[in-house]
Amino acid sequence: MSGFLSSSIARKVAMALSALFLIFFLIIHLAVNLTSLFSEEAFNQASHFMGTNPLIQFALQPILIFGVVFHFVMGFVLELKNRASRNVNYVKYNGAASASWMSRNMAISGGVILAFIVIHFLDFWIPELNTKYVVGDMSGYIEGTTNYRYYEELQHKFASPVKVGIYVVAFVLLALHLMHGFQSAFQSIGFNNKYTSCVKSLGKWYSILIPLGFIIIALFHHFNH
Amino acid sequence: MNLTLKIWRQKGPQDKGQMVEYKVTDISEHMSFLEMMDVLNEQLVAKDEVPIAFDHDCREGICGMCSLHINGEPHGPDRGITTCQLHMRTFKDGDTIYIEPWRAKAFPVIKDLIVDRMAFERIQQAGGYISVNTSGNTQDANAIPISKHNADLSMDAAACIGCGACVASCKNSSAMLFVSAKVSQFALLPQGKVEAADRVRNMVKQMDEEGFGNCTNTGACEVECPKGISLENIARMNREYLKASII
Ligand code: HEM
Ligand code: SF4
Ligand code: FES
């Protein structure tokens, strides 16, 4: 973490690269989950593949976890350093006059996403690990049957209106995080040129459509179980 | 017009300081903000009170000396101007105006509204120059071909007057807009390319050591900069820095 990563710009770039990786991951994650809207069979197949493929489980998944942890640890480190760089605050500070709410509150939207990720892990990931590696059942079947368990479990998870509410709120904050973050990541890695207006509109579409997709999935299974 | 002013008063670097309320009357809407401050100071002197210390020099928007955080924004609510170019017609009769110094750990208050901006000088000294001998044997400027496009971009970057409004407006007190303007003005020209890698590394190192915060691309600096320095310069500095560090 010292050396190269002790400079402000290097940290920014590392932050941006981890964020771009997460942006890519969300596309894959949404694509898999979207199958659950159309076909129980397809969702079960996709989930079983993602959950048992060794390359995904033992190479990509650790990278993903490292990416998430790196991103929020670095995010909070930067936030604390940045706060410390103004030791006396303004009596009157009109931040809204020159910058968007999203850009000024990345730590708040990020904090909500982090809380969500913890809940999400307790919901899906920890039980998965338990079934597969503690109990040792790699079959992916509902106990005593030869039917896949994934779709069944998914519907069960979204039964509670409170949980669906938490999901919706978290994804709205993810949208706000990305509305600033998407284009910010490109600026951080030094990408600001004639394509920047495309990056900005792509970022807007991405930050609305991806969270909206997750919200639709949560609501769909809440009302359809 | 008559105004209520809430102004930061601080006797010296060690003093705690506080906001003090003043009333000024009969201010002409054609006055500049600094002239309004002059009127207030004359009133204070007439009453045997200590006048308010504030920075100023050219009073025509080119030196970068005047500062003041006015109603929550550096150089006040108008865009593309310094405080000496801010006219009182921007305000309404009866307004309350908050006047504070730039706030950043790297810009400590010296007195009242004056802050120490030597951090910018030290960043400049770390690399904001080209090492050419200009005594007697200077080349003709046109001997080195430069594309019009780059010459324009370099000129735009060189418009930075080092006022520090970018730092003052930034929620992170980041100096990246200033430093990137100084890095860019040279990086875009052949004369500057020779020392480009050392320049960007040393200037960024000095910037970090001075205790400025880290850019999160909020864009506040670009909006508040009196000289319209663009965020593209920050992206260019990041590219230059990566090139200098990795390659
Ligand atoms: C784990 C919870 C998260 C936390 C606590 C968090 C926190 C932060 C913070 C504080 C920043 C601002 C730092 C900066 O701009 O330099 C940031 C930037 C960013 N975040 Fe997150 N974030 C989280 C999750 C995510 C996720 C899931 C994504 C995307 C899928 C994401 C995408 C981004 C992007 C694109 C940026 C901008 C990077 C840049 O400006 O270079 N974040 N995050
Ligand atoms: S970049 Fe703009 S705001 Fe910052 S010091 Fe230069 S002129 Fe002032
Ligand atoms: S006094 Fe010189 S720019 Fe305002």
Side-chain angles (χ1 to χ4, degrees):
Chain A
M1 291 287 277
S2 60
F4 182 62
L5 273 191
S6 64
S7 105
S8 54
I9 294 183
R11 285 184 180 167
K12 269 305 288 179
V13 171
M15 187 80 199
L17 292 178
S18 67
L20 288 173
F21 176 70
L22 294 179
I23 284 173
F24 174 71
F25 158 75
L26 280 188
I27 298 176
I28 311 280
H29 195 358
L30 181 63
V32 171
N33 289 8
L34 277 178
T35 60
S36 74
L37 296 186
F38 309 108
S39 151
E40 181 172 343
E41 169 73 19
F43 179 72
N44 277 331
Q45 292 288 349
S47 301
H48 191 67
F49 173 77
M50 298 299 275
T52 51
N53 183 292
L55 182 70
I56 292 171
Q57 284 295 298
F58 301 111
L60 296 185
Q61 190 159 285
I63 295 177
L64 173 65
I65 291 169
F66 175 78
V68 173
V69 172
F70 180 88
H71 182 80
F72 77 73
V73 169
M74 201 53 138
F76 284 129
V77 168
L78 286 175
E79 175 76 12
L80 288 179
K81 274 206 75 161
N82 286 344
R83 280 180 188 223
S85 65
R86 177 161 290 144
N87 46 354
V88 181
N89 283 325
Y90 290 109
V91 173
K92 193 165 171 148
Y93 179 69
N94 188 358
S98 51
S100 68
W101 187 92
M102 285 80 88
S103 72
R104 287 178 288 123
N105 293 286
M106 291 298 274
I108 292 179
S109 53
V112 175
I113 301 169
L114 179 59
F116 166 80
I117 290 178
V118 171
I119 296 175
H120 192 57
F121 267 35
L122 294 176
D123 247 9
F124 285 90
W125 201 58
I126 304 289
E128 261 312 291
L129 286 187
N130 185 49
T131 313
K132 284 192 303 211
Y133 303 115
V134 180
V135 179
D137 175 8
M138 299 293 285
S139 70
Y141 295 146
I142 298 169
E143 236 185 299
T145 71
T146 51
N147 299 326
Y148 277 134
R149 59 187 162 80
Y150 307 102
Y151 191 83
E152 178 78 19
E153 284 174 358
L154 179 72
Q155 294 218 311
H156 185 71
K157 295 278 162 52
F158 288 116
S160 149
V162 176
K163 188 168 290 165
V164 173
I166 293 177
Y167 269 63
V168 171
V169 170
F171 281 117
V172 169
L173 276 125
L174 176 65
L176 295 173
H177 196 73
L178 288 166
M179 268 182 204
H180 172 68
F182 192 99
Q183 54 84 31
S184 171
F186 284 86
Q187 165 81 2
S188 292
I189 57 171
F191 189 91
N192 187 333
N193 49 38
K194 62 182 175 203
Y195 302 111
T196 294
S197 58
C198 298
V199 168
K200 284 189 176 164
S201 38
L202 187 67
K204 286 220 176 74
W205 284 109
Y206 179 98
S207 49
I208 292 169
L209 291 181
I210 300 278
L212 188 65
F214 284 109
I215 289 176
I216 289 172
I217 293 168
L219 293 177
F220 178 88
H221 292 293
H222 177 67
F223 291 112
N224 273 301
H225 68 274
Chain B
M1 53 209 283
N2 302 328
L3 301 163
T4 304
L5 306 173
K6 290 185 191 278
I7 302 180
W8 183 259
R9 298 300 313 255
Q10 183 173 338
K11 291 195 182 76
Q14 309 308 330
D15 184 29
K16 227 176 122 270
Q18 59 178 16
M19 296 299 278
V20 177
E21 190 174 304
Y22 298 93
K23 303 262 183 208
V24 281
T25 50
D26 293 328
I27 296 295
S28 155
E29 59 174 16
H30 303 302
M31 281 181 184
S32 80
F33 200 86
L34 297 187
E35 283 164 340
M36 183 276 292
M37 294 293 287
D38 293 336
V39 170
L40 171 62
N41 272 346
E42 276 167 17
Q43 289 177 10
L44 291 179
V45 171
K47 283 192 285 184
D48 249 2
E49 287 179 37
V50 183
I52 297 153
F54 62 92
D55 266 325
H56 60 103
D57 189 10
C58 71
R59 297 216 180 191
E60 54 183 5
I62 55 171
C63 75
M65 220 28 217
C66 61
S67 49
L68 305 188
H69 207 256
I70 302 164
N71 275 349
E73 287 182 77
H75 299 140
D78 265 7
R79 296 287 170 248
I81 53 153
T82 52
T83 300
C84 55
Q85 297 171 300
L86 176 66
H87 284 97
M88 291 315 294
R89 54 179 163 272
T90 319
F91 302 93
K92 290 194 303 290
D93 185 37
D95 272 1
T96 299
I97 307 177
Y98 285 75
I99 309 171
E100 299 174 71
W102 285 174
R103 292 290 187 200
K105 202 169 80 186
F107 285 165
V109 172
I110 298 173
K111 187 176 181 195
D112 294 339
L113 300 168
I114 297 184
V115 298
D116 180 353
R117 284 174 279 187
M118 279 304 286
F120 271 14
E121 302 304 324
R122 289 187 291 269
I123 293 172
Q124 279 287 61
Q125 285 160 11
Y129 52 81
I130 52 171
S131 318
V132 285
N133 187 351
T134 51
S135 55
N137 49 6
T138 32
Q139 262 194 59
D140 184 84
N142 291 323
I144 305 170
I146 300 170
S147 80
K148 170 89 169 97
H149 181 67
N150 279 2
D152 286 350
L153 289 176
S154 173
M155 195 62 196
D156 288 348
C160 166
I161 52 178
C163 62
C166 41
V167 175
S169 66
C170 177
K171 82 174 190 43
N172 311 314
S173 312
S174 168
M176 290 243 192
L177 194 65
F178 165 76
V179 181
S180 71
K182 300 302 173 194
V183 163
S184 290
Q185 86 183 54
F186 295 115
L188 285 157
L189 299 180
Q191 295 92 331
K193 287 221 162 72
V194 184
E195 293 162 300
D198 283 343
R199 174 180 306 113
V200 70
R201 251 188 273 120
N202 293 338
M203 290 180 81
V204 168
K205 183 160 170 275
Q206 189 64 34
M207 170 181 86
D208 290 346
E209 279 171 16
E210 297 290 349
F212 292 106
N214 199 347
C215 176
T216 60
N217 305 323
T218 70
C221 53
E222 185 186 44
V223 173
E224 298 290 359
C225 172
K227 297 297 158 187
I229 302 295
S230 157
L231 290 182
E232 283 170 33
N233 290 296
I234 298 184
R236 183 179 300 104
M237 173 171 72
N238 292 0
R239 288 199 297 276
E240 289 285 321
Y241 187 82
L242 284 178
K243 248 195 305 183
S245 312
I246 296 168
I247 304 166

